[in-house]
Amino acid sequence: MESYEPERLTPVQLAAMRRSLTSGRGALTRRSLLRASGMGALALGGIATLGACGIPPAKRADAGTASDDHSAKEKEVSFSNWTEYMDVSEDEKSRPTLQAFTKRTGIRVKYTEDINDNVEFFGKIKPQLAAGQNTGRDLICVTDWLAARIIRLGWAQKLDPSNLPHAFANVSAQFRTPDWDPGRAYSYPWTGIPTVIAYNVKATGGRKVDSVTQLLDDPKLKGRVSFLSEMRDSIGMTLLDQGKDPGKFTDADFDGAIGRLQKAVDKKQIRRFTGNDYTADLSKGDIAACVGWAGDIIQLQADNPDIKFAIPAAGYITSSDNLLVPAQARHKTNAEKLIDYYYEPPVAAQLAAYINYVCPVDGVREELAKIDESMASNTLILPDKEMAAKSRSFRSLSTEEETAYEEKFAKLIGA
């Protein structure tokens, strides 16, 4: 008899997701800060639907069981990804790395840009996963918190290391052992998304801003500081500044970070908590310094040389988007071959040169330099060893923790 494990989202969690989708990192595109364009009412409608029925409604005891692998006879693989998250030819008529994969292996890739946000996409595939059915997808790319949820529920297939020699050897150390998938048994990162300190050097009078302490305490920045409305980013960066590990913190540590930020709010040091809308204020100088996302900073620097970034000595938060093979996928081996292909440095370099996010593949720098020297030296795309050593991930939360923490954070930011 099947066993079920209810796991519903609370109103507080739903509110946090709405923040993420409408103004947070969930509202970014993968390349041009316009990811929200595909969401609108559909995304929020998807949240309402998921809230009504729960995400997910149940855990099937047999849900992770793989179907028969048809890879040998069916030379195809179906890959669902975000928009603008794959290299495109100059005439925009082909995808060079995917074409090269097919030419080499004979495996045809059905590539679909049908992920606009994590919640909406999960709403599409959840009914099949919960019922132990094939989703029609062999490979998906989702953000770490959703990857963790899918793995926890038994809805991802365990990967075969023998099909992933490049991935196993080349995944960067900072992405190798997330607490939600130790040793990358079920997933491999597609990109990393760093949270850093950004500042407008003209607005700061030429001064560098390189710590959360400076953001919270420097009187010359009073009223011209912003933090992010994403809990994991703002709390994670504050925990690091307080000498705490975001991967191992306690309730008391979390409360300490909330208290630290609350003091800055009370004395009006922090102007506001924002989604990606901080970018306009930062570029104009209305915000002098802030906690922001690396993808934004790369875009802003292209148009405004006054925009700088800093990696705090205490460290910084990195999240990731990750490749998984859903339960019951028909072409698991083919999907594993595609994952491994993108961990070959020349291929990884070609992808990184197009999407401009952190490349999780070791050994890619020389290959990227052949394409664009400026990208090869940009530590927001290829963190150097010193920067990578400072990267930290926010630990996985239980449902109870997420509810409690989001309530406290919502009160802090006035949401």
Side-chain angles (χ1 to χ4, degrees), residues 219 221-225 267-272 286-287:
L221 298 176
K222 184 175 181 178
R224 298 188 297 149
V225 169
K267 67 181 183 182
K268 302 188 185 306
Q269 179 78 7
I270 296 177
R271 180 170 181 167
R272 61 193 182 106
D286 293 340
I287 290 291

Side-chain angles (χ1 to χ4, degrees), residues 3 27 69 76 105 122 153 173 194 211 221 260 283 285 289 295 302 326 338 347 355 370 384 404 407:
S3 61
D69 191 349
E76 61 185 82
T105 65
F122 192 49
L153 289 161
S211 72
L221 298 176
R260 180 87 170 89
S283 188
L338 186 58
V347 180
I355 66 176
K370 296 175 184 177
D384 56 24
E407 285 178 348

Side-chain angles (χ1 to χ4, degrees), residues 13 29 37 51 55 101 112 130 140 155 168 187 198 223 234 238 255 309 311 317 348 365-367 390 392:
Q13 291 169 317
T29 58
S37 63
I55 296 183
F101 174 78
T112 309
I140 61 175
W155 292 349
F168 182 81
S187 69
S234 288
T238 305
D255 289 343
F309 76 94
I311 304 300
I317 293 291
R365 189 177 304 278
E366 290 184 2
E367 297 294 336
K390 295 178 180 179
R392 297 292 183 271

Side-chain angles (χ1 to χ4, degrees), residues 323-343:
L323 301 171
L324 293 88
V325 178
Q328 306 301 325
R330 286 179 62 88
H331 309 108
K332 176 175 179 286
T333 298
N334 291 345
E336 290 167 337
K337 289 180 179 179
L338 186 58
I339 294 172
D340 197 61
Y341 170 73
Y342 279 101
Y343 273 80

Side-chain angles (χ1 to χ4, degrees), residues 150-186:
I150 290 173
I151 292 169
R152 185 172 70 247
L153 289 161
W155 292 349
Q157 295 193 46
K158 193 170 185 178
L159 302 174
D160 183 350
S162 68
N163 292 326
L164 297 156
H166 295 98
F168 182 81
N170 295 335
V171 63
S172 300
Q174 72 181 99
F175 296 103
R176 189 172 288 273
T177 56
D179 68 342
W180 46 269
D181 187 18
R184 291 291 180 178
Y186 293 89

